[in-house]
Amino acid sequence: MQFGIFTVGDVTTDPTNGTTPTEHERIKAMTTIALKAEEVGLDVFATGEHHNPPFVPSSPTTMLGWIAARTERIILSTATTLITTNDPVKIAEDYAMLQHLADGRVDLMTGRGNTGPVYPWFGKDIRDGISLALENYALLRRLWRQDVVDWEGKFRTPLQGFTATPRPLDGVPPFVWHGSIRSPEVAEQAAYYGDGFFANNIFWPKEHFMRLIELYRQRFAHYGHGTAEQAIVGLGGQVFMRKNSQDAVREFRPYFDNAPVYGHGPSLEEFTERTPLTVGSPQQVIERTLSFRESFGDYQRQLFLMDHAGLPLKTVLEQLDILGEEVVPVLRREFAALRPAGVPDAPTHRSLVARRDAGGDRPAAS
């Protein structure tokens, strides 16, 4: 099972002292956090893609390329690539280039995004969001899997005899996760292609995500990619830890209360009861994360959001030390002991190449 962190790259005022990092400071902090994630033994670092304040990660491949040059092991991912407003030709070329630079340590999480004004900024209509996601991803797959593409669709100019360069490393495209908060159509899309489904369950009650994941599992099996239990599922999460749970709650409360996403809404206690947010001791985080399996079944990737809401860099690095030293080793052991033999690991570039070479690669869906 893969464990890692994802960042949304928000520039938020620290409510405890009124200081606000500059964009430069926040970007440099994100790269420091990524290097720390590898240092403490995590498997994945993922960055979001945003084109509006107060967020800064508008160019994930630039950031991940910088991180790739300074790391050796950690998988570099997006924690959403906007499949709706980005040109699939540019996605195909940018992430194939990144894949080469990172020696295969790259995968992609696609999503529609949750900021409505982004669509017209890039010449799109939000009312076409689902259709854009379906058409653009179908083209992206072809660009990665066919050396010469002839294509015509609704939302971009046709392609005639087009070859995306560079070609994917070893002829194997990055593994794709389809990220979703609310859309059953995205779960269906992930199942159709046999890709991964990442339910970023950080905002809504678990019952909503249980339905999405169950739909994905059933349709994954329907399309012949394996049993429902073999579907590739990832989950989000948020944690803040101190040795004593009372200290964690006291320290995190002002950040929660003033967070740009969920501040000034439900109380910290209400939010932790209804969502995966866990504020407490390392043992509480371990117990809460292990309980996800009871709701969602065996899954392959767990990403935590830890550097948001104005938390200072020093505090985030302390959190990563706790996560890597006290929490993830226990989670690895416990999840491995609970997982049935037939449930696969999350795909990596190495495993995908090995499957292809063994003749076990699934045919690409049209």
Side-chain angles (χ1 to χ4, degrees):
M1 184 165 173
Q2 295 173 347
F3 295 93
I5 58 172
F6 71 100
T7 179
V8 296
D10 59 310
V11 178
T12 303
T13 300
D14 186 331
T16 67
N17 58 26
T19 61
T20 305
T22 65
E23 290 181 330
H24 176 75
E25 290 170 337
R26 185 67 174 102
I27 291 168
K28 298 297 283 187
M30 291 165 67
T31 58
T32 299
I33 289 165
L35 301 186
K36 183 70 171 181
E38 174 163 280
E39 177 189 321
V40 301
L42 301 184
D43 303 305
V44 182
F45 172 82
T47 176
E49 177 188 344
H50 297 277
H51 299 276
N52 57 295
F55 306 100
V56 294
S58 58
S59 180
T61 52
T62 303
M63 173 174 286
L64 295 178
W66 188 97
I67 296 167
R70 291 158 177 81
T71 55
E72 296 179 355
R73 184 189 55 80
I74 198 164
I75 296 171
L76 306 173
S77 180
T78 52
T80 296
T81 294
L82 299 178
I83 193 66
T84 47
T85 52
N86 281 307
D87 182 357
V89 172
K90 196 71 170 81
I91 295 175
E93 296 190 334
D94 282 352
Y95 286 92
M97 175 68 78
L98 178 61
Q99 190 191 34
H100 281 273
L101 293 172
D103 295 323
R105 294 182 292 121
V106 172
D107 56 30
L108 192 69
M109 188 189 300
T110 67
R112 292 192 295 133
N114 57 12
T115 307
V118 170
Y119 283 79
W121 295 343
F122 290 87
K124 306 299 180 183
D125 188 329
I126 193 172
R127 292 171 293 185
D128 295 325
I130 292 293
S131 298
L132 279 162
L134 298 176
E135 181 177 297
N136 284 353
Y137 182 63
L139 175 55
L140 175 62
R141 284 184 64 90
R142 288 187 60 182
L143 291 166
W144 272 341
R145 288 166 171 80
Q146 297 178 15
D147 289 338
V148 181
V149 173
D150 294 309
W151 178 90
E152 184 172 352
K154 178 180 178 181
F155 296 107
R156 78 174 315 280
T157 53
L159 298 172
Q160 295 181 346
F162 180 78
T163 299
T165 59
R167 305 305 297 145
L169 177 65
D170 300 318
V172 175
F175 183 73
V176 173
W177 301 79
H178 298 256
S180 179
I181 293 176
R182 59 188 176 273
S183 305
E185 295 90 345
V186 174
E188 175 76 19
Q189 183 184 39
Y192 177 73
Y193 291 110
D195 295 336
F197 181 63
F198 190 89
N200 196 8
N201 59 326
I202 63 173
F203 294 125
W204 292 2
K206 67 180 181 181
E207 290 78 12
H208 168 75
F209 294 99
M210 289 169 65
R211 290 191 292 269
L212 280 179
I213 291 172
E214 181 59 25
L215 170 64
Y216 162 68
R217 289 187 183 278
Q218 291 177 358
R219 301 301 287 173
F220 181 95
H222 169 79
Y223 288 119
H225 301 300
T227 67
E229 293 74 23
Q230 292 173 323
I232 308 298
V233 174
L235 296 177
Q238 301 177 85
V239 298
F240 187 86
M241 299 170 285
R242 291 302 183 199
K243 181 178 180 180
N244 298 312
S245 59
Q246 298 90 339
D247 293 336
V249 170
R250 182 173 58 253
E251 184 176 347
F252 187 68
R253 187 181 298 279
Y255 296 96
F256 175 89
D257 289 345
N258 294 279
V261 176
Y262 44 58
H264 312 288
S267 69
L268 175 59
E269 287 73 17
E270 292 170 327
F271 204 80
T272 54
E273 180 181 356
R274 297 291 289 164
T275 77
L277 174 63
T278 308
V279 181
S281 66
Q283 184 59 38
Q284 287 174 306
V285 170
I286 291 169
E287 293 172 359
R288 185 76 180 282
T289 305
L290 287 172
S291 74
F292 295 167
R293 181 178 177 272
E294 300 170 8
S295 300
F296 305 111
D298 291 284
Y299 63 108
Q300 284 78 12
R301 174 175 284 189
Q302 175 68 59
L303 300 184
F304 296 103
L305 175 62
M306 306 188 74
D307 69 325
H308 59 121
L311 287 167
L313 177 59
K314 177 178 180 294
T315 300
V316 175
L317 298 179
E318 292 169 351
Q319 294 292 303
L320 290 175
D321 277 328
I322 299 171
L323 187 69
E325 294 172 7
E326 301 183 42
V327 175
V328 166
V330 179
L331 291 176
R332 285 194 200 282
R333 183 174 65 249
E334 294 297 324
F335 274 116
L338 293 167
R339 188 178 67 182
V343 175
D345 292 326
T348 63
H349 182 73
R350 181 177 296 178
S351 70
L352 292 173
V353 170
R355 186 173 70 181
R356 189 273 313 275
D357 292 345
D361 193 23
R362 293 188 297 267
S366 62

